[in-house]
Amino acid sequence: MGAKRRVVIVEDEPAIRRAVVDILKMAGYEPVEAADGEAGLHASRAGGVDLVLLDLMLPKLDGFDVLSALRETHPSLPVIILTARGAEDDRVRGLKLGADDYVVKPFSARELLARIEAVLRRTPERPAQILRLKHGATVVDCARHEVVTPDGQRTALSEMEAEVMRRLATQRGQAVSRESLLSSVWGIRDGRVETRAIDMHITRLRNKLSGSSSESNGGGEDWIVTVRGKGYMLGADVQVETEGRGS
Ligand code: CA
């Protein structure tokens, strides 16, 4: 086998997190630690992750919110939930949200590793990571979070803007609703009031993509198409470059 499998551990209790990190290292995995839900979502979405161990009671964003946001951008990334003993409802809810398995705390190293191996066996392929988007001579580099226009000008994208591009590319050919963008990119569930904020973000993003600095200049509609009544969609002529496992 080639590179070490990378496992994100999202757990706010330092003692448990460290114990899991040690278990993973001993077993030849590459652990990535996150101590709250936001950091966990960010780490899980970074390229090259093979599996996520997700606690449910977490600061900033709870495990359920992390899982549902993650499922919108990474539908097949393996996730194992870490639940407290007796929390039957949590387990069921987690599985309904698309978790692959669960482990009840406190767990033994052997049990945890057995679950991880079983889930990884069932999901041999790491979902393709989106590396770059291209339209004409303009490139969006999703890893470096920047737009490079034909004249060589580089414009930084915020993490959220890069995530919007990834989200649209993941679901290319379909419109992505504003609500879905809010929940998957910003982790906001009930976003009735804030959907207009999405439009402002899209306008700014389009300006960056088209290389124009003024708010009113517009452009960028080739990159991000408005679908009336539905949301936004990646432009049909935008090329998506992805990278699979190990390459
Ligand atoms: Ca916790």
Side-chain angles (χ1 to χ4, degrees), residues 11-13 55-59 105:
E11 166 67 68
D12 58 324
E13 268 184 67
D55 182 30
L56 291 175
M57 299 281 280
L58 290 165
K105 291 192 246 185

Side-chain angles (χ1 to χ4, degrees), residues 104-117:
V104 179
K105 291 192 246 185
F107 43 78
S108 68
R110 212 173 129 194
E111 186 188 354
L112 179 67
L113 292 171
R115 298 287 182 134
I116 291 173
E117 281 160 28

